[in-house]
Amino acid sequence: MLCALIMAGGKGTRFWPLSTEEKPKQFLNLIGEETMIQMTVNRITPIIPIERVFVCTGEMYVDLVKEQLPNLPERNIIVEPQGRNTAPCIALSALVIKKYYKDANMIVLPSDHLINDEDGFRDIIKSADRFVNENKEAIVTLGMEPTRAETGYGYIRYGNDEKKINNHKVIKVDAFVEKPNREKAESYIEEGNYLWNGGMFLWSADNILNQIEKYSNGTYEALKDIETVDNQEIQELINNNYHKTEAISIDYAVMEKSDSIYVVPSRFGWDDVGSWEALDRYREKDDKGNVLVGNAKVVDSHGNLVISSSHDIVVEGLKDIYVIENDGKILVGHKSNVANVKELKNII
């Protein structure tokens, strides 16, 4: 029984000022007409019905989840009292999912990624699910085949222990590698056995809970009673105990310690949409290479990124600049520096 967990508690600080703490990037339509979380759910529901899709988010975003995902059962919204990183989020969610689907497998997905080849993505999930059904103690991650020497992503190094499921390779992971500098990233591309870590995992709920109990015992002990309390008491237990969990990522808590991790090399047009540069890559451009969002217009201008939330913006005679407007704030700068926008928050 395959379930989906969508992690939707992030603050999206790199997309400030459009993304705010009150309405972070997963609830914005950064790439197309749908918001990022709507895109995430809609690409998975052809193979996992909405009844088996769960969203873990912060208390302040529950109303946004309900508004943007009106077909999601209310019981499937898992509420964190405070952000504690991905390991507690996953432990909490696995315990809740097991309340409803005892023998569940889980595909864990961030809520704010872009995937262009959705059919290919779903095919890989089916293969990973079959592999986990045949290897109950396996953890499977989806590793993106790199298209450039990227310094902003972590990497997965794999070895020679290779299997095949439904025409997809499943390879034993050697190590998870931190974000590299430029020289190392180029060497990873040359070596050919490194993949981008996209933060997507598939495992059985039982297995990941066993792993968390082994490697992050404080988190497991704080939450394990979810399995035995009545459903109406779950949130009270979470509210009382969540602060006792270890604030640590699933990569540090489990992935770097477990010895049964496999990766499926994947190529389905993935991007984590983690920066304004991603919008410049994927948003439709006019014939002069300008990205225009909202009430934005240009005259005799080339290669600009102009984003308006509410005000009219006209850019005339400029090249390679960004203009970002939201909630009365207007930021203007050279597009080569757009990655540093969040650092300007302390000035305004």
Side-chain angles (χ1 to χ4, degrees):
M1 184 70 73
L2 182 59
C3 298
L5 168 63
I6 314 297
M7 297 186 294
K11 298 295 195 297
T13 56
R14 284 179 291 179
F15 278 101
W16 183 83
L18 201 61
S19 173
T20 63
E21 186 172 356
E22 293 75 26
K23 193 173 185 180
K25 69 170 181 172
Q26 60 267 32
F27 301 109
L28 302 177
N29 55 342
L30 293 175
I31 297 296
E33 296 304 313
E34 296 178 322
T35 66
M36 301 300 291
I37 194 170
Q38 288 171 332
M39 293 170 66
T40 304
V41 170
N42 289 340
R43 78 170 61 102
I44 199 70
T45 48
I47 57 172
I48 302 176
I50 194 69
E51 291 77 18
R52 300 205 306 267
V53 174
F54 292 78
V55 173
C56 187
T57 193
E59 190 171 4
M60 69 188 300
Y61 305 135
V62 169
D63 287 343
L64 282 169
V65 171
K66 291 179 178 179
E67 174 189 326
Q68 296 194 5
L69 303 172
N71 296 325
L72 184 74
E74 188 165 352
R75 72 167 196 183
N76 291 21
I77 303 174
I78 301 169
V79 184
E80 293 181 289
Q82 64 272 146
R84 302 285 290 169
N85 217 316
T86 54
C89 166
I90 287 167
L92 164 63
S93 301
L95 286 161
V96 171
I97 288 171
K98 272 177 58 66
K99 297 284 285 187
Y100 304 110
Y101 302 102
K102 188 176 187 306
D103 299 316
N105 287 349
M106 297 167 55
I107 176 73
V108 178
L109 303 169
S111 58
D112 49 9
H113 288 185
L114 171 69
I115 290 173
N116 287 311
D117 180 5
E118 297 190 349
D119 288 335
F121 168 71
R122 289 187 286 265
D123 283 344
I124 285 175
I125 290 176
K126 291 176 187 176
S127 296
D129 185 41
R130 178 181 164 189
F131 184 80
V132 167
N133 282 331
E134 295 174 1
N135 303 269
K136 289 297 187 180
E137 295 186 356
I139 289 173
V140 177
T141 183
L142 309 188
M144 302 333 122
E145 296 185 9
T147 57
R148 59 186 182 274
E150 175 63 57
T151 60
Y153 301 153
Y155 284 71
I156 300 166
R157 186 176 74 237
Y158 60 87
N160 299 315
D161 184 356
E162 179 181 314
K163 307 176 190 299
K164 205 139 195 189
I165 301 285
N166 295 345
N167 297 318
H168 292 117
K169 294 178 181 178
V170 184
I171 311 173
K172 191 78 178 289
V173 170
D174 277 350
F176 285 79
V177 182
E178 293 297 307
K179 296 175 183 178
N181 59 29
R182 173 63 57 183
E183 185 179 355
K184 279 189 176 180
E186 290 172 352
S187 73
Y188 294 165
I189 300 296
E190 290 176 10
E191 289 177 44
N193 63 328
Y194 286 82
L195 303 165
W196 288 337
N197 180 5
M200 292 180 275
F201 306 98
L202 200 151
W203 44 48
S204 76
D206 281 331
N207 183 39
I208 193 58
L209 287 170
N210 289 339
Q211 298 286 311
I212 290 171
E213 181 180 13
K214 181 177 180 180
Y215 296 117
S216 187
N217 187 255
T219 292
Y220 179 79
E221 291 295 324
L223 300 173
K224 66 179 182 180
D225 288 343
I226 289 174
E227 288 199 87
T228 57
V229 301
D230 293 337
N231 290 352
Q232 61 268 25
E233 297 174 343
I234 292 174
Q235 193 60 52
E236 182 180 359
L237 187 151
I238 296 167
N239 292 343
N240 290 338
N241 289 5
Y242 206 60
H243 70 280
K244 301 175 186 175
T245 62
E246 299 172 35
I248 188 172
S249 73
I250 197 67
D251 283 15
Y252 285 129
V254 174
M255 298 299 119
E256 294 187 356
K257 300 171 183 175
S258 179
D259 58 2
S260 189
I261 303 179
Y262 296 82
V263 64
V264 182
S266 304
R267 181 178 293 175
F268 40 63
W270 171 87
D271 197 295
D272 77 341
V273 194
S275 64
W276 287 112
E277 293 98 323
L279 262 67
D280 195 49
R281 284 198 295 270
Y282 295 109
R283 270 282 188 175
E284 184 178 353
K285 295 179 171 66
D286 68 10
D287 59 356
K288 303 296 185 183
N290 299 291
V291 174
L292 306 173
V293 179
N295 304 320
K297 295 180 175 62
V298 292
V299 177
D300 190 26
S301 296
H302 305 264
N304 301 297
L305 175 66
V306 188
I307 297 175
S308 167
S309 177
S310 57
H311 291 72
D312 293 331
I313 296 177
V314 178
V315 172
E316 188 271 331
L318 295 176
K319 180 179 180 181
D320 295 334
I321 67 155
Y322 69 81
V323 181
I324 302 167
E325 177 274 324
N326 186 48
D327 193 27
K329 300 177 179 66
I330 301 173
L331 305 182
V332 182
H334 196 276
K335 205 165 69 172
S336 63
N337 297 323
V338 71
N340 301 322
V341 160
K342 69 174 183 177
E343 297 174 11
L344 303 176
K345 191 173 183 179
N346 295 329
I347 299 175
I348 295 180

